[in-house]
Amino acid sequence: EPEVTQTPSHQVTQMGQEVILRCVPISNHLYFYWYRQILGQKVEFLVSFYNNEISEKSEIFDDQFSVERPDGSNFTLKIRSTKLEDSAMYFCASRAGDGTNEKLFFGSGTQLSVL
Amino acid sequence: GNSVTQMEGPVTLSEEAFLTINCTYTATGYPSLFWYVQYPGEGLQLLLKATKADDKGSNKGFEATYRKETTSFHLEKGSVQVSDSAVYFCALAPPGGKLIFGQGTELSVKP
């Protein structure tokens, strides 16, 4: 079965540093998402991306965050200047363009630790 | 607004025990409801779904019924196995909207 791939599985960084989390969505999918889960809390929506632009973002997704699909296969989440509270598990997801939310395929996540 | 509340974990059961994980929701309109599962080291996977009131979603022996009157979507399984140990997430999606998750419930099944 095709899968969404995320790298790295664990990322440790110093506060104030930039990090890039990488995702390779399923190849024929058109909609891409980032979610995150702070330890012990809910999985939170960050951003959705379609047709090379952001289609929706949450209040968490401020100017420190950006997303990019640089080469037609990767989908990246950049945090410009990390804060302690950015420590979380970040999930990438993708779906085909059939309009059904439930056919979301998730990656296994990147655990980001900001020290 | 839309939200999902799940019972607190971790839940620890013996093999072949009956499982219930409670999930209640708040939503405007008529959302679809889902259970996702995350096995250790893997991504979130759709376990089952229901798209309208009184629908029952089922998969791998798990069931959940969309109860509009009680705004609930409790997950049940009659006889759990060690391989069911995972984190279970209840979620909803309003029509055309994004997935909104609960906080997850960790299930640990002992032999």
Side-chain angles (χ1 to χ4, degrees):
Chain A
E1 184 174 78
E3 59 181 25
V4 175
T5 305
Q6 288 187 244
T7 55
S9 57
H10 293 87
Q11 174 91 49
V12 180
T13 190
Q14 297 290 324
M15 190 170 57
Q17 294 296 303
E18 175 184 286
V19 293
I20 297 176
L21 308 183
R22 302 182 191 279
C23 171
V24 179
I26 293 171
S27 61
N28 62 342
H29 284 188
L30 301 177
Y31 295 81
F32 313 107
Y33 303 82
W34 284 100
Y35 285 79
R36 79 172 186 189
Q37 185 182 29
I38 295 170
L39 187 64
Q41 299 185 24
K42 297 186 178 186
V43 177
E44 303 170 294
F45 168 78
L46 293 179
V47 66
S48 59
F49 191 86
Y50 170 71
N51 199 26
N52 282 320
E53 60 183 25
I54 291 173
S55 48
E56 188 178 355
K57 60 183 181 179
S58 70
E59 62 275 10
I60 302 167
F61 196 88
D62 62 20
D63 291 346
Q64 292 301 309
F65 290 87
S66 62
V67 289
E68 193 177 30
R69 189 156 161 79
D71 56 11
S73 64
N74 291 283
F75 178 53
T76 60
L77 175 69
K78 182 194 290 187
I79 308 175
R80 289 190 183 82
S81 177
T82 50
K83 302 188 281 286
L84 295 176
E85 54 266 36
D86 294 328
S87 295
M89 177 72 85
Y90 288 80
F91 293 103
C92 173
S94 69
R95 68 176 173 90
D98 59 1
T100 51
N101 279 304
E102 61 265 36
K103 293 181 183 175
L104 267 183
F105 290 81
F106 284 84
S108 56
T110 293
Q111 181 66 54
L112 176 65
S113 298
V114 181
L115 305 179
Chain B
N2 299 313
S3 67
V4 175
T5 302
Q6 291 179 235
M7 64 185 286
E8 297 269 339
V11 174
T12 302
L13 296 173
S14 298
E15 209 165 19
E16 299 183 3
F18 184 85
L19 168 71
T20 300
I21 300 178
N22 290 337
C23 172
T24 57
Y25 67 91
T26 303
T28 52
Y30 303 96
S32 295
L33 301 176
F34 311 87
W35 277 99
Y36 278 80
V37 59
Q38 185 181 26
Y39 298 104
E42 299 184 19
L44 292 164
Q45 301 172 27
L46 179 65
L47 180 60
L48 55 84
K49 70 180 192 293
T51 56
K52 61 183 188 296
D54 300 324
D55 267 4
K56 178 186 283 187
S58 61
N59 185 26
K60 299 183 181 179
F62 291 89
E63 292 183 342
T65 302
Y66 190 141
R67 301 283 188 205
K68 195 167 187 301
E69 64 277 11
T70 54
T71 61
S72 64
F73 193 55
H74 304 321
L75 182 69
E76 296 182 335
K77 186 174 185 181
S79 176
V80 293
Q81 305 301 311
V82 172
S83 57
D84 293 326
S85 297
V87 182
Y88 292 82
F89 294 88
C90 186
L92 69 81
K98 61 185 180 289
L99 273 174
I100 297 167
F101 287 90
Q103 75 271 36
T105 302
E106 182 181 357
L107 171 66
S108 178
V109 181
K110 306 297 185 187

